[in-house]
Amino acid sequence: MINKYSLILGIVDKIEEWNEKLNAFAGEHMDNVLIGSLVVGVLIFVAFSGINALNKK
């Protein structure tokens, strides 16, 4: 159980690190319409890919 707890903490730390990087990127580049549209498109693609993967039998 303790090993899994440390693994979960490692994952949470990695997610927080990615969040900080994404916030920094968004703060610098999200005023550009092209970059904002690209980010939204990537998010939609990832969402549809995830839904498609979960619906496979």
Side-chain angles (χ1 to χ4, degrees):
M1 182 68 178
I2 293 175
N3 293 338
K4 292 181 182 179
Y5 183 71
S6 63
L7 178 65
I8 291 171
L9 287 178
I11 292 171
V12 168
D13 288 339
K14 183 60 85 172
I15 290 173
E16 288 177 4
E17 179 183 328
W18 288 350
N19 186 33
E20 290 174 4
K21 288 180 181 179
L22 286 173
N23 283 338
F25 178 81
E28 295 174 7
H29 300 290
M30 288 303 282
D31 57 346
N32 187 346
V33 174
L34 180 62
I35 299 295
S37 299
L38 184 65
V39 168
V40 170
V42 168
L43 290 174
I44 289 172
F45 175 76
V46 169
F48 280 122
S49 298
I51 291 170
N52 194 17
L54 291 174
N55 285 332
K56 287 184 180 177
K57 292 183 179 181

mmCIF file of all heavy atoms in Angstrom:
data_model
loop_
_atom_site.group_PDB
_atom_site.id
_atom_site.type_symbol
_atom_site.label_atom_id
_atom_site.label_comp_id
_atom_site.label_asym_id
_atom_site.label_seq_id
_atom_site.Cartn_x
_atom_site.Cartn_y
_atom_site.Cartn_z
ATOM 1 N N MET A 1 0.820 -1.190 0.000
ATOM 2 C CA MET A 1 0.000 0.000 0.000
ATOM 3 C C MET A 1 0.861 1.250 0.000
ATOM 4 O O MET A 1 0.555 2.209 -0.684
ATOM 5 C CB MET A 1 -0.934 -0.047 1.219
ATOM 6 C CG MET A 1 -1.860 1.113 1.305
ATOM 7 S SD MET A 1 -3.051 1.038 -0.042
ATOM 8 C CE MET A 1 -4.022 2.442 0.312
ATOM 9 N N ILE A 2 1.955 1.229 0.771
ATOM 10 C CA ILE A 2 2.826 2.395 0.859
ATOM 11 C C ILE A 2 3.507 2.641 -0.480
ATOM 12 O O ILE A 2 3.683 3.788 -0.883
ATOM 13 C CB ILE A 2 3.862 2.221 1.992
ATOM 14 C CG1 ILE A 2 3.138 2.219 3.340
ATOM 15 C CG2 ILE A 2 4.910 3.313 1.947
ATOM 16 C CD1 ILE A 2 4.018 1.941 4.509
ATOM 17 N N ASN A 3 3.867 1.571 -1.196
ATOM 18 C CA ASN A 3 4.489 1.737 -2.516
ATOM 19 C C ASN A 3 3.531 2.415 -3.488
ATOM 20 O O ASN A 3 3.938 3.252 -4.292
ATOM 21 C CB ASN A 3 4.918 0.385 -3.077
ATOM 22 C CG ASN A 3 6.051 -0.234 -2.287
ATOM 23 O OD1 ASN A 3 6.790 0.458 -1.601
ATOM 24 N ND2 ASN A 3 6.177 -1.536 -2.383
ATOM 25 N N LYS A 4 2.267 2.055 -3.444
ATOM 26 C CA LYS A 4 1.279 2.662 -4.327
ATOM 27 C C LYS A 4 1.043 4.119 -3.960
ATOM 28 O O LYS A 4 0.814 4.956 -4.829
ATOM 29 C CB LYS A 4 -0.031 1.886 -4.277
ATOM 30 C CG LYS A 4 0.092 0.513 -4.890
ATOM 31 C CD LYS A 4 -1.205 -0.234 -4.851
ATOM 32 C CE LYS A 4 -1.014 -1.626 -5.436
ATOM 33 N NZ LYS A 4 -2.240 -2.405 -5.411
ATOM 34 N N TYR A 5 1.104 4.427 -2.683
ATOM 35 C CA TYR A 5 0.923 5.806 -2.236
ATOM 36 C C TYR A 5 2.029 6.700 -2.780
ATOM 37 O O TYR A 5 1.770 7.797 -3.269
ATOM 38 C CB TYR A 5 0.889 5.864 -0.710
ATOM 39 C CG TYR A 5 0.643 7.236 -0.151
ATOM 40 C CD1 TYR A 5 -0.605 7.842 -0.265
ATOM 41 C CD2 TYR A 5 1.654 7.946 0.489
ATOM 42 C CE1 TYR A 5 -0.841 9.103 0.234
ATOM 43 C CE2 TYR A 5 1.433 9.205 0.992
ATOM 44 C CZ TYR A 5 0.183 9.781 0.869
ATOM 45 O OH TYR A 5 -0.047 11.029 1.366
ATOM 46 N N SER A 6 3.267 6.235 -2.749
ATOM 47 C CA SER A 6 4.374 7.022 -3.278
ATOM 48 C C SER A 6 4.266 7.162 -4.794
ATOM 49 O O SER A 6 4.625 8.196 -5.359
ATOM 50 C CB SER A 6 5.717 6.407 -2.892
ATOM 51 O OG SER A 6 5.850 5.120 -3.463
ATOM 52 N N LEU A 7 3.741 6.134 -5.483
ATOM 53 C CA LEU A 7 3.528 6.214 -6.925
ATOM 54 C C LEU A 7 2.475 7.266 -7.252
ATOM 55 O O LEU A 7 2.649 8.062 -8.181
ATOM 56 C CB LEU A 7 3.094 4.853 -7.464
ATOM 57 C CG LEU A 7 2.791 4.775 -8.956
ATOM 58 C CD1 LEU A 7 4.058 5.032 -9.762
ATOM 59 C CD2 LEU A 7 2.214 3.419 -9.294
ATOM 60 N N ILE A 8 1.397 7.287 -6.479
ATOM 61 C CA ILE A 8 0.341 8.288 -6.690
ATOM 62 C C ILE A 8 0.881 9.689 -6.452
ATOM 63 O O ILE A 8 0.593 10.615 -7.210
ATOM 64 C CB ILE A 8 -0.873 7.986 -5.784
ATOM 65 C CG1 ILE A 8 -1.564 6.703 -6.245
ATOM 66 C CG2 ILE A 8 -1.850 9.146 -5.775
ATOM 67 C CD1 ILE A 8 -2.628 6.195 -5.308
ATOM 68 N N LEU A 9 1.693 9.864 -5.424
ATOM 69 C CA LEU A 9 2.279 11.182 -5.166
ATOM 70 C C LEU A 9 3.199 11.610 -6.306
ATOM 71 O O LEU A 9 3.223 12.788 -6.673
ATOM 72 C CB LEU A 9 3.050 11.174 -3.847
ATOM 73 C CG LEU A 9 2.201 11.146 -2.584
ATOM 74 C CD1 LEU A 9 3.107 11.101 -1.350
ATOM 75 C CD2 LEU A 9 1.283 12.342 -2.507
ATOM 76 N N GLY A 10 3.928 10.668 -6.874
ATOM 77 C CA GLY A 10 4.791 10.979 -8.013
ATOM 78 C C GLY A 10 3.982 11.421 -9.215
ATOM 79 O O GLY A 10 4.366 12.355 -9.924
ATOM 80 N N ILE A 11 2.856 10.763 -9.458
ATOM 81 C CA ILE A 11 1.985 11.135 -10.567
ATOM 82 C C ILE A 11 1.391 12.516 -10.339
ATOM 83 O O ILE A 11 1.334 13.342 -11.252
ATOM 84 C CB ILE A 11 0.883 10.072 -10.766
ATOM 85 C CG1 ILE A 11 1.504 8.766 -11.259
ATOM 86 C CG2 ILE A 11 -0.173 10.556 -11.737
ATOM 87 C CD1 ILE A 11 0.546 7.593 -11.274
ATOM 88 N N VAL A 12 0.971 12.796 -9.122
ATOM 89 C CA VAL A 12 0.401 14.108 -8.800
ATOM 90 C C VAL A 12 1.450 15.204 -8.992
ATOM 91 O O VAL A 12 1.153 16.273 -9.533
ATOM 92 C CB VAL A 12 -0.161 14.113 -7.357
ATOM 93 C CG1 VAL A 12 -0.493 15.520 -6.911
ATOM 94 C CG2 VAL A 12 -1.379 13.218 -7.271
ATOM 95 N N ASP A 13 2.686 14.942 -8.584
ATOM 96 C CA ASP A 13 3.750 15.924 -8.780
ATOM 97 C C ASP A 13 3.995 16.182 -10.259
ATOM 98 O O ASP A 13 4.198 17.325 -10.677
ATOM 99 C CB ASP A 13 5.049 15.449 -8.122
ATOM 100 C CG ASP A 13 4.995 15.506 -6.613
ATOM 101 O OD1 ASP A 13 4.154 16.265 -6.082
ATOM 102 O OD2 ASP A 13 5.795 14.795 -5.968
ATOM 103 N N LYS A 14 3.975 15.133 -11.075
ATOM 104 C CA LYS A 14 4.181 15.285 -12.521
ATOM 105 C C LYS A 14 3.041 16.089 -13.136
ATOM 106 O O LYS A 14 3.268 16.958 -13.978
ATOM 107 C CB LYS A 14 4.281 13.915 -13.169
ATOM 108 C CG LYS A 14 4.560 13.957 -14.641
ATOM 109 C CD LYS A 14 5.864 14.659 -14.971
ATOM 110 C CE LYS A 14 7.020 13.736 -14.879
ATOM 111 N NZ LYS A 14 8.277 14.308 -15.368
ATOM 112 N N ILE A 15 1.804 15.839 -12.716
ATOM 113 C CA ILE A 15 0.659 16.585 -13.232
ATOM 114 C C ILE A 15 0.764 18.057 -12.844
ATOM 115 O O ILE A 15 0.474 18.945 -13.653
ATOM 116 C CB ILE A 15 -0.662 15.961 -12.741
ATOM 117 C CG1 ILE A 15 -0.881 14.606 -13.425
ATOM 118 C CG2 ILE A 15 -1.841 16.889 -13.002
ATOM 119 C CD1 ILE A 15 -2.056 13.832 -12.895
ATOM 120 N N GLU A 16 1.178 18.341 -11.618
ATOM 121 C CA GLU A 16 1.350 19.727 -11.190
ATOM 122 C C GLU A 16 2.445 20.424 -11.995
ATOM 123 O O GLU A 16 2.317 21.597 -12.352
ATOM 124 C CB GLU A 16 1.668 19.789 -9.699
ATOM 125 C CG GLU A 16 0.481 19.455 -8.818
ATOM 126 C CD GLU A 16 0.827 19.458 -7.351
ATOM 127 O OE1 GLU A 16 1.979 19.786 -6.988
ATOM 128 O OE2 GLU A 16 -0.068 19.130 -6.552
ATOM 129 N N GLU A 17 3.522 19.698 -12.318
ATOM 130 C CA GLU A 17 4.595 20.257 -13.131
ATOM 131 C C GLU A 17 4.083 20.594 -14.537
ATOM 132 O O GLU A 17 4.371 21.669 -15.071
ATOM 133 C CB GLU A 17 5.739 19.246 -13.219
ATOM 134 C CG GLU A 17 6.912 19.683 -14.046
ATOM 135 C CD GLU A 17 7.963 18.597 -14.135
ATOM 136 O OE1 GLU A 17 8.116 17.828 -13.169
ATOM 137 O OE2 GLU A 17 8.619 18.512 -15.185
ATOM 138 N N TRP A 18 3.320 19.686 -15.141
ATOM 139 C CA TRP A 18 2.737 19.942 -16.464
ATOM 140 C C TRP A 18 1.779 21.122 -16.414
ATOM 141 O O TRP A 18 1.729 21.915 -17.346
ATOM 142 C CB TRP A 18 2.009 18.715 -16.977
ATOM 143 C CG TRP A 18 2.896 17.575 -17.398
ATOM 144 C CD1 TRP A 18 4.252 17.590 -17.537
ATOM 145 C CD2 TRP A 18 2.479 16.256 -17.719
ATOM 146 N NE1 TRP A 18 4.696 16.364 -17.920
ATOM 147 C CE2 TRP A 18 3.636 15.522 -18.044
ATOM 148 C CE3 TRP A 18 1.249 15.618 -17.748
ATOM 149 C CZ2 TRP A 18 3.581 14.187 -18.411
ATOM 150 C CZ3 TRP A 18 1.211 14.285 -18.116
ATOM 151 C CH2 TRP A 18 2.355 13.589 -18.438
ATOM 152 N N ASN A 19 1.011 21.215 -15.333
ATOM 153 C CA ASN A 19 0.067 22.324 -15.184
ATOM 154 C C ASN A 19 0.793 23.664 -15.156
ATOM 155 O O ASN A 19 0.357 24.633 -15.778
ATOM 156 C CB ASN A 19 -0.780 22.124 -13.930
ATOM 157 C CG ASN A 19 -1.872 23.149 -13.807
ATOM 158 O OD1 ASN A 19 -2.409 23.601 -14.798
ATOM 159 N ND2 ASN A 19 -2.196 23.511 -12.575
ATOM 160 N N GLU A 20 1.900 23.728 -14.444
ATOM 161 C CA GLU A 20 2.675 24.964 -14.390
ATOM 162 C C GLU A 20 3.230 25.324 -15.767
ATOM 163 O O GLU A 20 3.203 26.491 -16.172
ATOM 164 C CB GLU A 20 3.814 24.827 -13.377
ATOM 165 C CG GLU A 20 3.342 24.775 -11.940
ATOM 166 C CD GLU A 20 4.471 24.483 -10.967
ATOM 167 O OE1 GLU A 20 5.641 24.391 -11.399
ATOM 168 O OE2 GLU A 20 4.174 24.347 -9.767
ATOM 169 N N LYS A 21 3.710 24.317 -16.508
ATOM 170 C CA LYS A 21 4.237 24.576 -17.849
ATOM 171 C C LYS A 21 3.125 25.048 -18.783
ATOM 172 O O LYS A 21 3.322 25.975 -19.571
ATOM 173 C CB LYS A 21 4.888 23.315 -18.417
ATOM 174 C CG LYS A 21 6.195 22.964 -17.751
ATOM 175 C CD LYS A 21 6.797 21.713 -18.337
ATOM 176 C CE LYS A 21 8.090 21.346 -17.643
ATOM 177 N NZ LYS A 21 8.678 20.116 -18.182
ATOM 178 N N LEU A 22 1.964 24.409 -18.703
ATOM 179 C CA LEU A 22 0.843 24.812 -19.553
ATOM 180 C C LEU A 22 0.358 26.216 -19.201
ATOM 181 O O LEU A 22 0.009 26.995 -20.094
ATOM 182 C CB LEU A 22 -0.306 23.818 -19.432
ATOM 183 C CG LEU A 22 -0.102 22.482 -20.141
ATOM 184 C CD1 LEU A 22 -1.248 21.538 -19.798
ATOM 185 C CD2 LEU A 22 -0.003 22.678 -21.630
ATOM 186 N N ASN A 23 0.323 26.552 -17.926
ATOM 187 C CA ASN A 23 -0.081 27.898 -17.521
ATOM 188 C C ASN A 23 0.901 28.946 -18.033
ATOM 189 O O ASN A 23 0.501 30.031 -18.468
ATOM 190 C CB ASN A 23 -0.212 27.989 -16.005
ATOM 191 C CG ASN A 23 -1.479 27.357 -15.505
ATOM 192 O OD1 ASN A 23 -2.444 27.198 -16.247
ATOM 193 N ND2 ASN A 23 -1.485 26.982 -14.234
ATOM 194 N N ALA A 24 2.190 28.626 -17.983
ATOM 195 C CA ALA A 24 3.189 29.561 -18.494
ATOM 196 C C ALA A 24 3.036 29.734 -20.003
ATOM 197 O O ALA A 24 3.101 30.857 -20.519
ATOM 198 C CB ALA A 24 4.594 29.071 -18.158
ATOM 199 N N PHE A 25 2.826 28.638 -20.719
ATOM 200 C CA PHE A 25 2.624 28.708 -22.170
ATOM 201 C C PHE A 25 1.373 29.501 -22.504
ATOM 202 O O PHE A 25 1.389 30.347 -23.405
ATOM 203 C CB PHE A 25 2.523 27.299 -22.751
ATOM 204 C CG PHE A 25 2.257 27.273 -24.230
ATOM 205 C CD1 PHE A 25 3.297 27.458 -25.117
ATOM 206 C CD2 PHE A 25 0.979 27.077 -24.716
ATOM 207 C CE1 PHE A 25 3.066 27.441 -26.486
ATOM 208 C CE2 PHE A 25 0.733 27.060 -26.074
ATOM 209 C CZ PHE A 25 1.784 27.245 -26.960
ATOM 210 N N ALA A 26 0.294 29.238 -21.785
ATOM 211 C CA ALA A 26 -0.968 29.934 -22.045
ATOM 212 C C ALA A 26 -0.830 31.428 -21.761
ATOM 213 O O ALA A 26 -1.379 32.253 -22.485
ATOM 214 C CB ALA A 26 -2.084 29.327 -21.206
ATOM 215 N N GLY A 27 -0.123 31.765 -20.719
ATOM 216 C CA GLY A 27 0.060 33.171 -20.392
ATOM 217 C C GLY A 27 0.812 33.937 -21.469
ATOM 218 O O GLY A 27 0.557 35.117 -21.695
ATOM 219 N N GLU A 28 1.729 33.260 -22.160
ATOM 220 C CA GLU A 28 2.519 33.918 -23.187
ATOM 221 C C GLU A 28 1.837 33.912 -24.558
ATOM 222 O O GLU A 28 1.980 34.861 -25.312
ATOM 223 C CB GLU A 28 3.879 33.229 -23.321
ATOM 224 C CG GLU A 28 4.743 33.353 -22.090
ATOM 225 C CD GLU A 28 6.012 32.541 -22.200
ATOM 226 O OE1 GLU A 28 6.280 31.982 -23.283
ATOM 227 O OE2 GLU A 28 6.728 32.439 -21.199
ATOM 228 N N HIS A 29 1.125 32.832 -24.886
ATOM 229 C CA HIS A 29 0.700 32.630 -26.266
ATOM 230 C C HIS A 29 -0.806 32.620 -26.506
ATOM 231 O O HIS A 29 -1.222 32.591 -27.660
ATOM 232 C CB HIS A 29 1.267 31.310 -26.792
ATOM 233 C CG HIS A 29 2.757 31.248 -26.769
ATOM 234 N ND1 HIS A 29 3.545 31.994 -27.611
ATOM 235 C CD2 HIS A 29 3.604 30.547 -25.992
ATOM 236 C CE1 HIS A 29 4.807 31.747 -27.360
ATOM 237 N NE2 HIS A 29 4.876 30.864 -26.378
ATOM 238 N N MET A 30 -1.621 32.611 -25.493
ATOM 239 C CA MET A 30 -3.059 32.458 -25.721
ATOM 240 C C MET A 30 -3.734 33.727 -26.220
ATOM 241 O O MET A 30 -4.910 33.704 -26.549
ATOM 242 C CB MET A 30 -3.765 31.958 -24.459
ATOM 243 C CG MET A 30 -3.479 30.505 -24.146
ATOM 244 S SD MET A 30 -3.903 29.381 -25.467
ATOM 245 C CE MET A 30 -5.657 29.299 -25.261
ATOM 246 N N ASP A 31 -3.026 34.832 -26.303
ATOM 247 C CA ASP A 31 -3.632 36.021 -26.893
ATOM 248 C C ASP A 31 -3.651 35.939 -28.415
ATOM 249 O O ASP A 31 -4.312 36.719 -29.072
ATOM 250 C CB ASP A 31 -2.911 37.289 -26.434
ATOM 251 C CG ASP A 31 -1.430 37.279 -26.759
ATOM 252 O OD1 ASP A 31 -0.918 36.209 -27.088
ATOM 253 O OD2 ASP A 31 -0.806 38.352 -26.661
ATOM 254 N N ASN A 32 -2.957 34.958 -28.986
ATOM 255 C CA ASN A 32 -2.943 34.727 -30.423
ATOM 256 C C ASN A 32 -4.090 33.769 -30.781
ATOM 257 O O ASN A 32 -4.211 32.695 -30.209
ATOM 258 C CB ASN A 32 -1.601 34.112 -30.824
ATOM 259 C CG ASN A 32 -1.436 33.996 -32.321
ATOM 260 O OD1 ASN A 32 -2.393 34.122 -33.072
ATOM 261 N ND2 ASN A 32 -0.211 33.733 -32.741
ATOM 262 N N VAL A 33 -4.930 34.172 -31.728
ATOM 263 C CA VAL A 33 -6.100 33.374 -32.105
ATOM 264 C C VAL A 33 -5.681 32.037 -32.698
ATOM 265 O O VAL A 33 -6.301 31.007 -32.422
ATOM 266 C CB VAL A 33 -6.988 34.155 -33.100
ATOM 267 C CG1 VAL A 33 -8.124 33.304 -33.604
ATOM 268 C CG2 VAL A 33 -7.510 35.415 -32.452
ATOM 269 N N LEU A 34 -4.636 32.016 -33.498
ATOM 270 C CA LEU A 34 -4.191 30.777 -34.136
ATOM 271 C C LEU A 34 -3.746 29.743 -33.104
ATOM 272 O O LEU A 34 -4.130 28.580 -33.173
ATOM 273 C CB LEU A 34 -3.059 31.076 -35.119
ATOM 274 C CG LEU A 34 -2.494 29.880 -35.873
ATOM 275 C CD1 LEU A 34 -3.578 29.246 -36.737
ATOM 276 C CD2 LEU A 34 -1.320 30.303 -36.723
ATOM 277 N N ILE A 35 -2.963 30.172 -32.141
ATOM 278 C CA ILE A 35 -2.480 29.254 -31.106
ATOM 279 C C ILE A 35 -3.649 28.763 -30.247
ATOM 280 O O ILE A 35 -3.742 27.579 -29.932
ATOM 281 C CB ILE A 35 -1.410 29.934 -30.220
ATOM 282 C CG1 ILE A 35 -0.209 30.350 -31.051
ATOM 283 C CG2 ILE A 35 -0.988 29.030 -29.088
ATOM 284 C CD1 ILE A 35 0.565 29.211 -31.658
ATOM 285 N N GLY A 36 -4.559 29.652 -29.899
ATOM 286 C CA GLY A 36 -5.725 29.256 -29.111
ATOM 287 C C GLY A 36 -6.585 28.242 -29.842
ATOM 288 O O GLY A 36 -7.038 27.261 -29.261
ATOM 289 N N SER A 37 -6.786 28.454 -31.133
ATOM 290 C CA SER A 37 -7.563 27.513 -31.935
ATOM 291 C C SER A 37 -6.858 26.170 -32.036
ATOM 292 O O SER A 37 -7.493 25.109 -31.983
ATOM 293 C CB SER A 37 -7.797 28.069 -33.334
ATOM 294 O OG SER A 37 -8.514 29.261 -33.270
ATOM 295 N N LEU A 38 -5.548 26.211 -32.175
ATOM 296 C CA LEU A 38 -4.770 24.975 -32.250
ATOM 297 C C LEU A 38 -4.870 24.183 -30.944
ATOM 298 O O LEU A 38 -5.049 22.960 -30.963
ATOM 299 C CB LEU A 38 -3.312 25.302 -32.570
ATOM 300 C CG LEU A 38 -2.382 24.125 -32.776
ATOM 301 C CD1 LEU A 38 -2.807 23.335 -34.008
ATOM 302 C CD2 LEU A 38 -0.953 24.620 -32.950
ATOM 303 N N VAL A 39 -4.781 24.861 -29.829
ATOM 304 C CA VAL A 39 -4.883 24.197 -28.528
ATOM 305 C C VAL A 39 -6.270 23.570 -28.354
ATOM 306 O O VAL A 39 -6.389 22.415 -27.915
ATOM 307 C CB VAL A 39 -4.566 25.185 -27.382
ATOM 308 C CG1 VAL A 39 -4.939 24.595 -26.035
ATOM 309 C CG2 VAL A 39 -3.108 25.580 -27.413
ATOM 310 N N VAL A 40 -7.308 24.299 -28.707
ATOM 311 C CA VAL A 40 -8.668 23.762 -28.605
ATOM 312 C C VAL A 40 -8.821 22.551 -29.526
ATOM 313 O O VAL A 40 -9.405 21.538 -29.145
ATOM 314 C CB VAL A 40 -9.717 24.851 -28.925
ATOM 315 C CG1 VAL A 40 -11.100 24.247 -29.072
ATOM 316 C CG2 VAL A 40 -9.711 25.911 -27.845
ATOM 317 N N GLY A 41 -8.277 22.626 -30.736
ATOM 318 C CA GLY A 41 -8.336 21.496 -31.661
ATOM 319 C C GLY A 41 -7.636 20.273 -31.118
ATOM 320 O O GLY A 41 -8.138 19.150 -31.240
ATOM 321 N N VAL A 42 -6.471 20.468 -30.508
ATOM 322 C CA VAL A 42 -5.737 19.342 -29.923
ATOM 323 C C VAL A 42 -6.528 18.731 -28.772
ATOM 324 O O VAL A 42 -6.606 17.497 -28.637
ATOM 325 C CB VAL A 42 -4.332 19.791 -29.462
ATOM 326 C CG1 VAL A 42 -3.669 18.745 -28.597
ATOM 327 C CG2 VAL A 42 -3.469 20.119 -30.663
ATOM 328 N N LEU A 43 -7.127 19.567 -27.940
ATOM 329 C CA LEU A 43 -7.933 19.049 -26.831
ATOM 330 C C LEU A 43 -9.130 18.247 -27.334
ATOM 331 O O LEU A 43 -9.450 17.180 -26.786
ATOM 332 C CB LEU A 43 -8.400 20.191 -25.934
ATOM 333 C CG LEU A 43 -7.329 20.870 -25.093
ATOM 334 C CD1 LEU A 43 -7.919 22.061 -24.372
ATOM 335 C CD2 LEU A 43 -6.714 19.894 -24.118
ATOM 336 N N ILE A 44 -9.784 18.728 -28.380
ATOM 337 C CA ILE A 44 -10.922 17.997 -28.950
ATOM 338 C C ILE A 44 -10.440 16.667 -29.536
ATOM 339 O O ILE A 44 -11.084 15.634 -29.356
ATOM 340 C CB ILE A 44 -11.645 18.867 -30.003
ATOM 341 C CG1 ILE A 44 -12.376 20.005 -29.301
ATOM 342 C CG2 ILE A 44 -12.618 18.035 -30.828
ATOM 343 C CD1 ILE A 44 -12.963 21.034 -30.240
ATOM 344 N N PHE A 45 -9.296 16.687 -30.238
ATOM 345 C CA PHE A 45 -8.751 15.452 -30.805
ATOM 346 C C PHE A 45 -8.441 14.426 -29.722
ATOM 347 O O PHE A 45 -8.774 13.249 -29.846
ATOM 348 C CB PHE A 45 -7.493 15.763 -31.619
ATOM 349 C CG PHE A 45 -6.807 14.539 -32.140
ATOM 350 C CD1 PHE A 45 -7.330 13.857 -33.222
ATOM 351 C CD2 PHE A 45 -5.645 14.078 -31.545
ATOM 352 C CE1 PHE A 45 -6.699 12.722 -33.713
ATOM 353 C CE2 PHE A 45 -5.007 12.945 -32.011
ATOM 354 C CZ PHE A 45 -5.532 12.265 -33.099
ATOM 355 N N VAL A 46 -7.812 14.866 -28.647
ATOM 356 C CA VAL A 46 -7.479 13.962 -27.543
ATOM 357 C C VAL A 46 -8.749 13.416 -26.905
ATOM 358 O O VAL A 46 -8.831 12.223 -26.579
ATOM 359 C CB VAL A 46 -6.593 14.679 -26.502
ATOM 360 C CG1 VAL A 46 -6.457 13.876 -25.225
ATOM 361 C CG2 VAL A 46 -5.231 14.979 -27.099
ATOM 362 N N ALA A 47 -9.759 14.253 -26.746
ATOM 363 C CA ALA A 47 -11.021 13.806 -26.151
ATOM 364 C C ALA A 47 -11.690 12.755 -27.020
ATOM 365 O O ALA A 47 -12.121 11.701 -26.526
ATOM 366 C CB ALA A 47 -11.958 14.994 -25.929
ATOM 367 N N PHE A 48 -11.779 13.005 -28.332
ATOM 368 C CA PHE A 48 -12.402 12.026 -29.221
ATOM 369 C C PHE A 48 -11.587 10.738 -29.299
ATOM 370 O O PHE A 48 -12.154 9.645 -29.357
ATOM 371 C CB PHE A 48 -12.605 12.610 -30.620
ATOM 372 C CG PHE A 48 -13.816 13.483 -30.729
ATOM 373 C CD1 PHE A 48 -13.703 14.802 -31.133
ATOM 374 C CD2 PHE A 48 -15.073 12.992 -30.432
ATOM 375 C CE1 PHE A 48 -14.812 15.615 -31.239
ATOM 376 C CE2 PHE A 48 -16.195 13.797 -30.526
ATOM 377 C CZ PHE A 48 -16.066 15.113 -30.930
ATOM 378 N N SER A 49 -10.262 10.855 -29.283
ATOM 379 C CA SER A 49 -9.417 9.658 -29.302
ATOM 380 C C SER A 49 -9.624 8.827 -28.038
ATOM 381 O O SER A 49 -9.681 7.598 -28.095
ATOM 382 C CB SER A 49 -7.948 10.040 -29.436
ATOM 383 O OG SER A 49 -7.723 10.701 -30.640
ATOM 384 N N GLY A 50 -9.724 9.507 -26.908
ATOM 385 C CA GLY A 50 -9.958 8.793 -25.653
ATOM 386 C C GLY A 50 -11.312 8.110 -25.622
ATOM 387 O O GLY A 50 -11.422 6.964 -25.179
ATOM 388 N N ILE A 51 -12.319 8.789 -26.102
ATOM 389 C CA ILE A 51 -13.663 8.185 -26.161
ATOM 390 C C ILE A 51 -13.663 6.996 -27.099
ATOM 391 O O ILE A 51 -14.228 5.943 -26.787
ATOM 392 C CB ILE A 51 -14.700 9.247 -26.585
ATOM 393 C CG1 ILE A 51 -14.885 10.265 -25.482
ATOM 394 C CG2 ILE A 51 -16.027 8.588 -26.934
ATOM 395 C CD1 ILE A 51 -15.688 11.477 -25.892
ATOM 396 N N ASN A 52 -12.997 7.140 -28.244
ATOM 397 C CA ASN A 52 -12.929 6.050 -29.206
ATOM 398 C C ASN A 52 -12.188 4.840 -28.612
ATOM 399 O O ASN A 52 -12.604 3.700 -28.800
ATOM 400 C CB ASN A 52 -12.218 6.529 -30.484
ATOM 401 C CG ASN A 52 -12.405 5.574 -31.628
ATOM 402 O OD1 ASN A 52 -13.280 4.725 -31.605
ATOM 403 N ND2 ASN A 52 -11.569 5.719 -32.637
ATOM 404 N N ALA A 53 -11.102 5.089 -27.892
ATOM 405 C CA ALA A 53 -10.346 3.999 -27.281
ATOM 406 C C ALA A 53 -11.159 3.289 -26.193
ATOM 407 O O ALA A 53 -11.076 2.071 -26.040
ATOM 408 C CB ALA A 53 -9.043 4.533 -26.705
ATOM 409 N N LEU A 54 -11.930 4.041 -25.444
ATOM 410 C CA LEU A 54 -12.725 3.440 -24.379
ATOM 411 C C LEU A 54 -13.928 2.668 -24.917
ATOM 412 O O LEU A 54 -14.422 1.768 -24.247
ATOM 413 C CB LEU A 54 -13.199 4.521 -23.402
ATOM 414 C CG LEU A 54 -12.114 5.146 -22.553
ATOM 415 C CD1 LEU A 54 -12.695 6.304 -21.744
ATOM 416 C CD2 LEU A 54 -11.470 4.131 -21.637
ATOM 417 N N ASN A 55 -14.398 3.012 -26.119
ATOM 418 C CA ASN A 55 -15.550 2.325 -26.692
ATOM 419 C C ASN A 55 -15.183 1.077 -27.486
ATOM 420 O O ASN A 55 -16.067 0.347 -27.904
ATOM 421 C CB ASN A 55 -16.340 3.284 -27.590
ATOM 422 C CG ASN A 55 -17.150 4.264 -26.779
ATOM 423 O OD1 ASN A 55 -17.548 3.973 -25.664
ATOM 424 N ND2 ASN A 55 -17.383 5.437 -27.341
ATOM 425 N N LYS A 56 -13.897 0.820 -27.700
ATOM 426 C CA LYS A 56 -13.494 -0.376 -28.419
ATOM 427 C C LYS A 56 -13.743 -1.601 -27.542
ATOM 428 O O LYS A 56 -13.566 -1.578 -26.340
ATOM 429 C CB LYS A 56 -12.016 -0.327 -28.788
ATOM 430 C CG LYS A 56 -11.732 0.637 -29.908
ATOM 431 C CD LYS A 56 -10.278 0.576 -30.298
ATOM 432 C CE LYS A 56 -10.011 1.546 -31.436
ATOM 433 N NZ LYS A 56 -8.609 1.569 -31.800
ATOM 434 N N LYS A 57 -14.166 -2.665 -28.210
ATOM 435 C CA LYS A 57 -14.426 -3.900 -27.438
ATOM 436 C C LYS A 57 -13.310 -4.874 -27.579
ATOM 437 O O LYS A 57 -12.634 -5.035 -28.450
ATOM 438 C CB LYS A 57 -15.724 -4.531 -27.921
ATOM 439 C CG LYS A 57 -16.923 -3.691 -27.562
ATOM 440 C CD LYS A 57 -18.197 -4.371 -27.975
ATOM 441 C CE LYS A 57 -19.371 -3.506 -27.581
ATOM 442 N NZ LYS A 57 -20.625 -4.093 -27.927
#
